[in-house]
Amino acid sequence: MEEHADAVAAALAQAGLAGVEVIGHSMGGAIAVVLAHRHPASVSRLVLVDANLDPVTPGRGPGSGGIASFTEEEFLAGGRDEVAGWVGPSWWSTMRLAGPEALYRSAVHLARATVPTMRELLLGFDLPRTFLYPEADGEPRGADQLREAGVRLAAVKDCGHNIMLDNLDGFVSAAGLEPRP
């Protein structure tokens, strides 16, 4: 996560940008949190979209925990195809774009999480933070703790994990973004 965050910070610096509003989905949300921690001048606001905040116990099933349940050799020798079946076509449409080794290694690091965790980092920030989640999933774990720390929670109707793809208008509204004409 740290290397991803540092790469984003380098790209922002190369573009001459600082104090940007960062939207991070899923693992991208975890990277956004680490970015704000490691490069605080880079970030003025965080919008986390069904983001990973906590370590995940590896186990056969969709997501990073499922990928991390394999050794790298197992994943490359057929586990990747198994994961494609677990996550379904919507998730796989983006996951398949990553190189197999990069997908595996990123998932393992995401499942392991950071120390302190992304949740602990997020709770300590003094900047506007919003956490979007699919309404059907219910509030995220530790919702009261997030609220107490000033994180705005926003449920989005009619969507799954890919909130911005499933319900763009709901995503834009919940994130507090201005719709384009």
Side-chain angles (χ1 to χ4, degrees):
M1 298 302 99
E2 292 83 358
E3 289 177 23
H4 283 289
D6 292 346
V8 172
L12 291 171
Q14 180 68 29
L17 300 173
V20 300
E21 296 182 21
V22 177
I23 300 172
H25 171 250
S26 194
M27 183 176 85
I31 294 167
V33 169
V34 176
L35 172 69
H37 172 70
R38 291 173 66 93
H39 305 277
S42 296
V43 180
S44 65
R45 175 181 177 225
L46 286 174
V47 177
L48 306 177
V49 185
D50 211 15
N52 301 79
L53 298 179
D54 303 300
V56 175
T57 303
R60 302 296 172 151
S64 297
I67 294 171
S69 71
F70 294 94
T71 65
E72 185 167 350
E73 294 75 24
E74 292 169 338
F75 183 75
L76 297 176
R80 184 173 182 269
D81 294 332
E82 197 171 337
V83 168
W86 294 341
V87 300
S90 181
W91 272 20
W92 191 248
S93 68
T94 56
M95 293 173 76
R96 69 177 175 74
L97 300 174
E101 293 90 354
L103 177 60
Y104 177 80
R105 293 173 187 169
S106 294
V108 167
H109 287 278
L110 181 62
R112 185 178 7 186
T114 58
V115 177
T117 68
M118 283 81 68
R119 177 182 299 276
E120 291 166 332
L121 295 174
L122 179 64
L123 294 173
F125 291 150
D126 184 27
L127 59 106
R129 297 151 293 159
T130 300
F131 190 98
L132 279 58
Y133 61 94
E135 182 181 69
D137 290 355
E139 289 190 330
R141 188 179 78 72
D144 289 339
Q145 181 186 39
L146 292 169
R147 271 193 211 88
E148 288 170 13
V151 178
R152 184 176 75 82
L153 300 179
V156 181
K157 296 179 180 190
D158 304 321
C159 66
H161 179 64
N162 290 310
I163 294 173
M164 69 291 291
L165 299 176
D166 296 340
N167 183 350
L168 180 58
D169 291 339
F171 164 75
V172 168
S173 176
L177 303 172
E178 293 294 321
R180 293 182 135 177

Short mmCIF file of all heavy atoms in Angstrom, two decimals, residues 2 4 7 10 18 23 32 35 47 60 95 101 104 112 116 123 145-146 151-153 158 165 168-170 176 181:
data_model
loop_
_atom_site.label_atom_id
_atom_site.label_comp_id
_atom_site.label_asym_id
_atom_site.label_seq_id
_atom_site.Cartn_x
_atom_site.Cartn_y
_atom_site.Cartn_z
N GLU A 2 1.97 1.17 0.73
CA GLU A 2 2.86 2.32 0.81
C GLU A 2 3.46 2.66 -0.56
O GLU A 2 3.54 3.84 -0.93
CB GLU A 2 3.96 2.07 1.84
CG GLU A 2 3.47 2.01 3.27
CD GLU A 2 2.90 0.65 3.70
OE1 GLU A 2 2.85 -0.30 2.86
OE2 GLU A 2 2.50 0.53 4.86
N HIS A 4 2.20 1.97 -3.52
CA HIS A 4 1.13 2.54 -4.35
C HIS A 4 0.91 4.01 -3.99
O HIS A 4 0.81 4.88 -4.87
CB HIS A 4 -0.19 1.79 -4.14
CG HIS A 4 -0.27 0.46 -4.82
ND1 HIS A 4 -0.39 0.31 -6.18
CD2 HIS A 4 -0.30 -0.79 -4.31
CE1 HIS A 4 -0.46 -0.96 -6.49
NE2 HIS A 4 -0.41 -1.66 -5.37
N ALA A 7 3.65 6.21 -5.22
CA ALA A 7 3.56 6.41 -6.67
C ALA A 7 2.51 7.46 -7.01
O ALA A 7 2.73 8.30 -7.90
CB ALA A 7 3.25 5.09 -7.37
N ALA A 10 3.98 10.83 -6.16
CA ALA A 10 4.94 11.25 -7.17
C ALA A 10 4.24 11.77 -8.42
O ALA A 10 4.66 12.77 -9.00
CB ALA A 10 5.88 10.09 -7.52
N ALA A 18 -1.28 19.72 -5.47
CA ALA A 18 -1.24 19.50 -4.02
C ALA A 18 -2.63 19.80 -3.49
O ALA A 18 -3.42 20.50 -4.13
CB ALA A 18 -0.21 20.41 -3.36
N ILE A 23 -10.60 10.43 -4.45
CA ILE A 23 -11.65 9.42 -4.37
C ILE A 23 -10.97 8.07 -4.58
O ILE A 23 -10.27 7.87 -5.56
CB ILE A 23 -12.73 9.64 -5.45
CG1 ILE A 23 -13.39 11.01 -5.26
CG2 ILE A 23 -13.76 8.52 -5.42
CD1 ILE A 23 -14.32 11.40 -6.39
N ALA A 32 -5.64 5.55 -0.81
CA ALA A 32 -5.92 6.96 -0.54
C ALA A 32 -5.65 7.31 0.92
O ALA A 32 -5.10 8.37 1.22
CB ALA A 32 -7.36 7.29 -0.92
N LEU A 35 -1.95 7.37 1.35
CA LEU A 35 -1.47 8.59 0.71
C LEU A 35 -1.64 9.79 1.64
O LEU A 35 -0.70 10.57 1.83
CB LEU A 35 -2.23 8.83 -0.61
CG LEU A 35 -1.98 10.17 -1.30
CD1 LEU A 35 -0.56 10.25 -1.85
CD2 LEU A 35 -3.01 10.37 -2.42
N VAL A 47 -12.72 10.79 -0.22
CA VAL A 47 -13.99 10.11 -0.45
C VAL A 47 -13.64 8.64 -0.68
O VAL A 47 -13.00 8.30 -1.67
CB VAL A 47 -14.76 10.67 -1.66
CG1 VAL A 47 -16.04 9.88 -1.90
CG2 VAL A 47 -15.08 12.15 -1.46
N ARG A 60 -11.13 -18.86 1.05
CA ARG A 60 -11.59 -19.04 -0.34
C ARG A 60 -12.89 -18.28 -0.55
O ARG A 60 -13.89 -18.55 0.11
CB ARG A 60 -11.77 -20.52 -0.66
CG ARG A 60 -10.54 -21.37 -0.47
CD ARG A 60 -9.42 -20.99 -1.41
NE ARG A 60 -8.21 -21.72 -1.06
CZ ARG A 60 -7.27 -22.05 -1.89
NH1 ARG A 60 -7.36 -21.73 -3.16
NH2 ARG A 60 -6.21 -22.69 -1.49
N MET A 95 -10.33 -6.41 -12.43
CA MET A 95 -9.22 -7.18 -11.85
C MET A 95 -8.36 -7.84 -12.93
O MET A 95 -7.15 -7.96 -12.77
CB MET A 95 -9.76 -8.24 -10.89
CG MET A 95 -10.39 -7.67 -9.64
SD MET A 95 -11.19 -8.95 -8.65
CE MET A 95 -9.77 -9.71 -7.89
N GLU A 101 0.95 -11.32 -11.20
CA GLU A 101 1.80 -11.16 -10.02
C GLU A 101 1.41 -9.92 -9.24
O GLU A 101 1.36 -9.93 -8.01
CB GLU A 101 3.28 -11.10 -10.42
CG GLU A 101 3.81 -12.39 -11.00
CD GLU A 101 3.65 -12.45 -12.52
OE1 GLU A 101 3.01 -11.55 -13.13
OE2 GLU A 101 4.15 -13.44 -13.11
N TYR A 104 -1.85 -10.49 -7.35
CA TYR A 104 -1.64 -11.34 -6.18
C TYR A 104 -0.94 -10.57 -5.06
O TYR A 104 -1.41 -10.55 -3.92
CB TYR A 104 -0.80 -12.58 -6.55
CG TYR A 104 -0.52 -13.41 -5.33
CD1 TYR A 104 -1.48 -14.28 -4.83
CD2 TYR A 104 0.69 -13.29 -4.65
CE1 TYR A 104 -1.25 -15.02 -3.67
CE2 TYR A 104 0.93 -14.02 -3.50
CZ TYR A 104 -0.03 -14.88 -3.02
OH TYR A 104 0.19 -15.59 -1.86
N ARG A 112 -3.33 -8.10 4.48
CA ARG A 112 -2.50 -7.96 5.68
C ARG A 112 -2.71 -6.59 6.33
O ARG A 112 -2.62 -6.45 7.53
CB ARG A 112 -1.03 -8.15 5.31
CG ARG A 112 -0.10 -8.14 6.49
CD ARG A 112 1.32 -8.38 6.08
NE ARG A 112 1.43 -8.40 4.64
CZ ARG A 112 2.50 -8.70 3.96
NH1 ARG A 112 3.59 -9.01 4.57
NH2 ARG A 112 2.52 -8.69 2.65
N PRO A 116 0.00 1.38 11.63
CA PRO A 116 -1.37 1.10 12.07
C PRO A 116 -2.29 0.83 10.86
O PRO A 116 -1.93 1.14 9.73
CB PRO A 116 -1.79 2.37 12.81
CG PRO A 116 -0.83 3.43 12.39
CD PRO A 116 0.40 2.76 11.87
N LEU A 123 -9.16 7.47 11.18
CA LEU A 123 -9.76 8.06 12.37
C LEU A 123 -8.97 9.27 12.86
O LEU A 123 -9.53 10.18 13.45
CB LEU A 123 -9.87 7.02 13.49
CG LEU A 123 -10.82 5.86 13.24
CD1 LEU A 123 -10.69 4.82 14.36
CD2 LEU A 123 -12.25 6.33 13.10
N GLN A 145 -17.81 4.44 15.41
CA GLN A 145 -16.46 4.94 15.63
C GLN A 145 -16.06 5.90 14.50
O GLN A 145 -15.46 6.95 14.76
CB GLN A 145 -15.49 3.76 15.70
CG GLN A 145 -14.06 4.14 15.95
CD GLN A 145 -13.13 2.94 15.87
OE1 GLN A 145 -13.30 2.07 15.03
NE2 GLN A 145 -12.14 2.91 16.76
N LEU A 146 -16.42 5.55 13.28
CA LEU A 146 -16.12 6.43 12.15
C LEU A 146 -16.85 7.76 12.31
O LEU A 146 -16.26 8.84 12.14
CB LEU A 146 -16.50 5.76 10.83
CG LEU A 146 -15.67 4.55 10.42
CD1 LEU A 146 -16.31 3.82 9.24
CD2 LEU A 146 -14.25 4.96 10.08
N VAL A 151 -16.09 11.16 10.31
CA VAL A 151 -16.24 10.61 8.97
C VAL A 151 -17.72 10.59 8.62
O VAL A 151 -18.54 10.08 9.39
CB VAL A 151 -15.66 9.18 8.88
CG1 VAL A 151 -15.87 8.59 7.48
CG2 VAL A 151 -14.18 9.17 9.27
N ARG A 152 -18.08 11.18 7.49
CA ARG A 152 -19.48 11.17 7.04
C ARG A 152 -19.73 9.85 6.32
O ARG A 152 -19.02 9.49 5.38
CB ARG A 152 -19.74 12.34 6.09
CG ARG A 152 -21.21 12.45 5.65
CD ARG A 152 -21.46 13.68 4.81
NE ARG A 152 -20.96 13.58 3.46
CZ ARG A 152 -21.60 12.96 2.45
NH1 ARG A 152 -22.77 12.39 2.66
NH2 ARG A 152 -21.07 12.94 1.25
N LEU A 153 -20.73 9.11 6.78
CA LEU A 153 -21.12 7.85 6.14
C LEU A 153 -22.30 8.11 5.22
O LEU A 153 -23.23 8.83 5.59
CB LEU A 153 -21.51 6.81 7.19
CG LEU A 153 -20.41 6.43 8.19
CD1 LEU A 153 -20.93 5.42 9.18
CD2 LEU A 153 -19.19 5.90 7.48
N ASP A 158 -29.36 0.90 -4.65
CA ASP A 158 -29.33 0.25 -5.96
C ASP A 158 -27.92 0.04 -6.52
O ASP A 158 -27.63 0.39 -7.67
CB ASP A 158 -30.18 1.03 -6.98
CG ASP A 158 -31.61 1.22 -6.51
OD1 ASP A 158 -32.16 0.27 -5.92
OD2 ASP A 158 -32.16 2.31 -6.72
N LEU A 165 -20.25 2.49 -10.85
CA LEU A 165 -20.71 1.87 -12.09
C LEU A 165 -22.18 1.49 -12.00
O LEU A 165 -22.91 1.58 -12.99
CB LEU A 165 -19.88 0.62 -12.41
CG LEU A 165 -18.39 0.85 -12.62
CD1 LEU A 165 -17.68 -0.49 -12.83
CD2 LEU A 165 -18.13 1.79 -13.77
N LEU A 168 -24.39 5.68 -10.87
CA LEU A 168 -23.55 6.87 -11.00
C LEU A 168 -24.19 8.09 -10.33
O LEU A 168 -23.52 8.83 -9.62
CB LEU A 168 -23.26 7.17 -12.47
CG LEU A 168 -22.39 8.39 -12.74
CD1 LEU A 168 -21.04 8.28 -12.04
CD2 LEU A 168 -22.22 8.60 -14.24
N ASP A 169 -25.49 8.30 -10.54
CA ASP A 169 -26.14 9.47 -9.93
C ASP A 169 -26.10 9.38 -8.41
O ASP A 169 -25.84 10.39 -7.73
CB ASP A 169 -27.59 9.59 -10.42
CG ASP A 169 -27.68 9.98 -11.89
OD1 ASP A 169 -26.70 10.54 -12.43
OD2 ASP A 169 -28.73 9.72 -12.50
N GLY A 170 -26.35 8.19 -7.87
CA GLY A 170 -26.29 8.01 -6.41
C GLY A 170 -24.89 8.23 -5.89
O GLY A 170 -24.69 8.83 -4.83
N GLY A 176 -20.94 14.03 -2.80
CA GLY A 176 -20.94 15.49 -2.76
C GLY A 176 -20.21 16.10 -3.95
O GLY A 176 -19.60 17.15 -3.83
N PRO A 181 -22.55 18.49 -16.93
CA PRO A 181 -23.69 18.70 -17.83
C PRO A 181 -23.77 17.65 -18.93
O PRO A 181 -22.85 17.03 -19.29
CB PRO A 181 -23.44 20.08 -18.41
CG PRO A 181 -22.06 20.50 -18.03
CD PRO A 181 -21.56 19.54 -17.01
#
